[in-house]
Amino acid sequence: MIVIDEILNEWSFRCHDGIVDLNDPKKLSILEEIYTEIGLLEINVNDLERISQEENENIPPRFETLYELVTLLKSQYKLSNDNFKISSSNELRVLLPKDFSLNRKGFMDDILQNIPDTKFEEGSIGARSSLGNLKYKNIIRLVIKSLDTQGEKSAGKSNEAFIINDLNNLINNQPTNIEIVADNKSLSFPNIIKAIDASQNDTTKYAKADLQLVSEDGKIYNISLKQDDAIRWESSITRYRDWFDKFIQKAKNGELGDVGLKEVPGTGGKKFKLWNIKDDKVIGRVIVKGLPEEDIDEIIFGSDKSIVVVRTFTPSDIKKEGDKITIRASKIYENPEQIRGTNDEPILGLGNHVRKPLGIELRVFTKWSLYRDEKPIGSNVEINYNDIM
């Protein structure tokens, strides 16, 4: 089974009636959610060629445009499949080898002159690329990178790497005062001599820091970086394994009112969908209300008591004047009360995900991804945490 078949199966799996439809905005939003979750990281140029030959009206047209762009670039610049990385259905990364005849900027300029329907993406200088990105037919984002510097595979990781690299360049090994300024508050960190990528540390103890600011006297400030409008706080199957197992058993036994499970045909009882017994249709997500307060604190700030800074950073967000660096953020959170009731509030939820064991995932989502106007989105339903315990 090629990747596109898996995507279509997953899409159908999450649709309430099992039918995919490119003309249904709600179902398209489900497809975009799948793109976000898996990033299409398993798809490569060979898969694209097979996808382009599929006779299936439900295949998104962006795949055709993506393949068209790859074909143009390969022909024009004699690039191989290894020089492309597909980040999503509308983002293509070109990875230039060390011995390539053009540097990144020269390559971008050449594309603008020689590849029709390509333009510079306004406002794109930032997390993905310090040079900005191109846009092909106003559909496919084209990001130019060097083949030997690809370590950041997700948007979140790129966001972290961007601010860490920029900070260290501005600090330049000199004690520097850093102030983070957001709409709701500001924080100051004196005499910082370096910024450290903390995301590689052991996360089994629920540490949350992505960035550590180290002061001249050795003090370390832990900071968790989240992009604007993030969908999730964490994958929670490890934290709530016992609770999850009890939920599955009770849902199978019909002990949770309208919330049940329906076996996916052909899986031999190994995969299920969250099912609304009363309405006889699939449930988008089961929203779990009433998490223990101590859990909420650790989900947000981690066992390392990180400060949460929300922002999808761009170069204009970080400025240095004299011995002071000012970082512009969207929000700063230091305690659960500051986040309660906002769109970033953490809420536990179960969802259908064919790649997960039993076909069910367990994550802590942000409130805005589950509710609109304080009401569950679509077919989402609510249960209480203590109903399972």
Side-chain angles (χ1 to χ4, degrees), residues 2 4-9 11-12 20-22 50-61 63-64:
I2 64 172
I4 189 62
D5 296 322
E6 296 182 10
I7 294 170
L8 290 173
N9 283 347
W11 189 16
S12 172
V20 299
D21 184 355
L22 288 169
R50 290 196 292 270
I51 289 170
S52 70
Q53 298 169 355
E54 289 280 326
E55 296 182 1
N56 189 322
E57 63 181 10
N58 288 317
I59 293 176
F63 281 113
E64 298 176 6

Side-chain angles (χ1 to χ4, degrees), residues 43-106:
I43 196 170
N44 55 40
V45 176
N46 292 328
D47 292 319
L48 264 184
E49 184 173 358
R50 290 196 292 270
I51 289 170
S52 70
Q53 298 169 355
E54 289 280 326
E55 296 182 1
N56 189 322
E57 63 181 10
N58 288 317
I59 293 176
R62 280 180 293 184
F63 281 113
E64 298 176 6
T65 309
L66 189 58
Y67 182 64
E68 178 183 291
L69 178 57
V70 168
T71 303
L72 281 171
L73 292 171
K74 287 177 68 176
S75 173
Q76 184 81 19
Y77 299 102
K78 297 182 180 180
L79 296 168
S80 71
N81 289 358
D82 292 337
N83 296 119
F84 297 95
K85 181 174 180 59
I86 300 170
S87 303
S88 74
S89 66
N90 61 355
E91 182 171 305
L92 176 69
R93 295 193 173 208
V94 181
L95 311 178
L96 298 180
K98 286 183 178 179
D99 58 354
F100 194 70
S101 57
L102 297 169
N103 61 24
R104 287 197 301 148
K105 186 178 185 306

Side-chain angles (χ1 to χ4, degrees), residues 23-284:
N23 296 314
D24 186 328
K26 290 183 179 179
K27 291 182 178 181
L28 273 178
S29 68
I30 295 172
L31 180 60
E32 290 299 328
E33 183 178 271
I34 294 168
Y35 291 152
T36 300
E37 288 175 357
I38 68 175
L40 295 182
L41 293 179
E42 297 178 32
I43 196 170
N44 55 40
V45 176
N46 292 328
D47 292 319
L48 264 184
E49 184 173 358
R50 290 196 292 270
I51 289 170
S52 70
Q53 298 169 355
E54 289 280 326
E55 296 182 1
N56 189 322
E57 63 181 10
N58 288 317
I59 293 176
R62 280 180 293 184
F63 281 113
E64 298 176 6
T65 309
L66 189 58
Y67 182 64
E68 178 183 291
L69 178 57
V70 168
T71 303
L72 281 171
L73 292 171
K74 287 177 68 176
S75 173
Q76 184 81 19
Y77 299 102
K78 297 182 180 180
L79 296 168
S80 71
N81 289 358
D82 292 337
N83 296 119
F84 297 95
K85 181 174 180 59
I86 300 170
S87 303
S88 74
S89 66
N90 61 355
E91 182 171 305
L92 176 69
R93 295 193 173 208
V94 181
L95 311 178
L96 298 180
K98 286 183 178 179
D99 58 354
F100 194 70
S101 57
L102 297 169
N103 61 24
R104 287 197 301 148
K105 186 178 185 306
F107 183 57
M108 291 174 67
D109 291 340
D110 202 77
I111 289 175
L112 288 170
Q113 291 181 14
N114 296 297
I115 301 294
D117 300 316
T118 306
K119 64 181 181 180
F120 183 78
E121 184 181 18
E122 295 298 329
S124 64
I125 297 176
R128 287 181 176 86
S129 172
S130 59
L131 297 177
N133 312 309
L134 305 180
K135 210 66 179 289
Y136 179 66
K137 290 189 172 180
N138 211 32
I139 297 173
I140 305 299
R141 175 180 291 115
L142 186 59
V143 183
I144 313 301
K145 293 285 188 179
S146 298
L147 182 61
D148 59 339
T149 59
Q150 292 307 291
E152 300 81 35
K153 297 184 179 181
S154 69
K157 185 64 180 171
S158 297
N159 193 47
E160 297 159 16
F162 169 73
I163 188 172
I164 292 168
N165 292 339
D166 217 42
L167 279 176
N168 280 321
N169 287 336
L170 292 175
I171 292 169
N172 195 27
N173 296 317
Q174 299 297 316
T176 305
N177 297 320
I178 294 179
E179 184 176 21
I180 303 178
V181 180
D183 295 338
N184 62 328
K185 65 182 313 176
S186 300
L187 292 176
S188 297
F189 306 91
N191 299 318
I192 300 301
I193 57 171
K194 62 181 174 180
I196 296 176
D197 180 357
S199 63
Q200 301 301 316
N201 295 342
D202 184 10
T203 58
T204 57
K205 295 181 180 179
Y206 307 117
K208 294 288 184 175
D210 301 299
L211 162 69
Q212 290 179 325
L213 298 177
V214 182
S215 69
E216 189 176 28
D217 61 2
K219 188 172 183 178
I220 296 176
Y221 302 92
N222 292 322
I223 297 176
S224 172
L225 300 174
K226 291 189 71 64
Q227 294 198 82
D228 293 309
D229 298 324
I231 295 174
R232 303 173 191 85
W233 283 95
E234 68 172 27
S235 177
S236 301
I237 193 65
T238 300
R239 186 189 295 274
Y240 292 113
R241 167 57 70 183
D242 291 342
W243 186 96
F244 178 78
D245 291 342
K246 290 176 182 177
F247 168 86
I248 294 295
Q249 194 58 51
K250 287 193 174 187
K252 284 182 178 179
N253 294 340
E255 299 175 20
L256 297 176
D258 294 340
V259 177
L261 296 177
K262 186 172 185 177
E263 183 179 330
V264 177
T267 63
K270 294 182 179 180
K271 300 281 185 180
F272 298 87
K273 287 186 180 182
L274 298 166
W275 201 258
N276 190 315
I277 298 172
K278 179 182 178 182
D279 297 337
D280 195 28
K281 66 179 184 181
V282 72
I283 295 171

Side-chain angles (χ1 to χ4, degrees), residues 297-312:
D297 185 79
E298 189 171 75
I299 286 166
I300 300 172
F301 305 106
S303 57
D304 52 351
K305 306 299 181 184
S306 294
I307 299 165
V308 176
V309 174
V310 180
R311 187 73 164 184
T312 302

